[in-house]
Amino acid sequence: MEISAGQSLWMTPPHLAVWIPAGTRHRIRMPGAVSMRTLYLRRGLLPRAPEICTVLHISPLFRELVVEAVRIGQLRSRNHIHCALRDLIVSQLRNASPVPMFVRLPEDSRARGVAEAFLANQADAPSLHALCRKVGVSARTVQRTFRFEVGTSFEFWRRQVRLMKGIELLVAGRSVKTVAAEVGYRQPSAFVELFRQTLGMTPRKWVAALTSQDKQTRLK
């Protein structure tokens, strides 16, 4: 599932959640069949909440709390069980770990066309020059536009996109080798190094940490 707000894009893999601040104009795109649950929180219920959309890892307990809250429909403040459910959800939200699944898209139509062409075809690892030829713009123009509008080089932006897609596939249970190929790396070691530099651990250790966190939550 993809959430876009302005020129920003968040990718939300299965089993993760996205926090969307109140009043945020956004669009949701679902490339395939998706089952989604949505909670609306009263303003002030979660102090120090993220000010922008944020992808969150959620525990199995959190997931079940959301399902139950949606089943009820509207939690009543005079119902003790509803209040307890609300408090548990807020507590889980406070402790949910953010996942780096965010990139900014350029506003310039030519540079955005290059960005969207890459997003649609990561596995083939098209070069910047190939993407520019497809769109009809010079690589120098795209680099300059990315630095001015996005704040990074195209290469840095492309690495972040690959990381986002890689996390999505890892959460879905794909192997590191398969993930590396699907995000455009010929050697899995290159993807592993990108992951380690960004998140401080290898993909396998990161997935193991998530699995361990889920197991601990089930035991509590």
Side-chain angles (χ1 to χ4, degrees):
M1 188 170 69
E2 296 177 1
I3 296 92
S4 57
Q7 300 305 120
S8 300
L9 176 68
W10 290 262
M11 293 184 183
T12 310
H15 311 304
L16 298 187
V18 62
W19 167 266
I20 302 177
T24 301
R25 294 175 63 91
H26 63 281
R27 298 182 299 276
I28 297 178
R29 175 177 174 268
M30 302 177 184
V34 174
S35 177
M36 182 179 71
R37 304 292 187 274
T38 303
L39 293 183
Y40 295 91
L41 273 68
R42 188 177 68 248
R43 285 182 182 271
L45 193 59
L46 186 67
R48 298 184 296 278
E51 296 180 357
I52 63 172
C53 298
T54 305
V55 176
L56 302 170
H57 172 257
I58 62 171
S59 66
L61 171 60
F62 194 178
R63 195 173 300 121
E64 293 304 318
L65 291 172
V66 170
V67 170
E68 178 62 12
V70 171
R71 186 192 67 79
I72 293 172
Q74 183 176 355
L75 303 183
R76 305 289 182 179
S77 59
R78 295 182 179 180
N79 186 305
H80 295 305
I81 294 178
H82 290 190
C83 289
L85 179 58
R86 176 203 62 198
D87 292 343
L88 280 170
I89 289 172
V90 171
S91 175
Q92 289 287 308
L93 268 173
R94 288 198 189 100
N95 296 324
S97 303
V99 182
M101 299 292 286
F102 158 78
V103 292
R104 184 172 176 80
L105 298 174
E107 295 183 21
D108 179 90
S109 60
R110 298 165 300 174
R112 189 178 181 111
V114 168
E116 291 175 344
F118 177 74
L119 286 168
N121 190 29
Q122 291 186 51
D124 290 341
S127 67
L128 174 57
H129 289 283
L131 292 168
C132 289
R133 284 195 300 271
K134 182 177 181 179
V135 175
V137 62
S138 72
R140 180 176 296 180
T141 297
V142 169
Q143 288 283 25
R144 185 171 61 248
T145 303
F146 264 81
R147 289 193 177 93
F148 179 73
E149 294 188 357
V150 180
T152 68
S153 67
F154 175 80
E155 288 76 15
F156 184 90
W157 178 89
R158 179 170 54 190
R159 287 195 295 270
Q160 181 64 17
V161 169
R162 284 171 162 169
L163 177 66
M164 288 169 54
K165 184 64 175 180
I167 289 174
E168 176 184 344
L169 296 172
L170 288 169
V171 171
R174 305 285 184 86
S175 70
V176 173
K177 183 178 180 180
T178 299
V179 171
E182 292 199 29
V183 299
Y185 286 106
R186 293 182 180 179
Q187 298 296 331
S189 59
F191 173 70
V192 171
E193 182 60 18
L194 167 68
F195 204 96
R196 188 191 63 76
Q197 288 179 357
T198 307
L199 296 177
M201 63 182 72
T202 65
R204 284 193 177 92
K205 286 185 177 180
W206 185 81
V207 171
L210 289 186
T211 303
S212 175
Q213 184 181 17
D214 287 350
K215 288 180 179 178
Q216 289 176 8
T217 303
R218 292 190 187 101
L219 291 173
K220 289 179 180 179

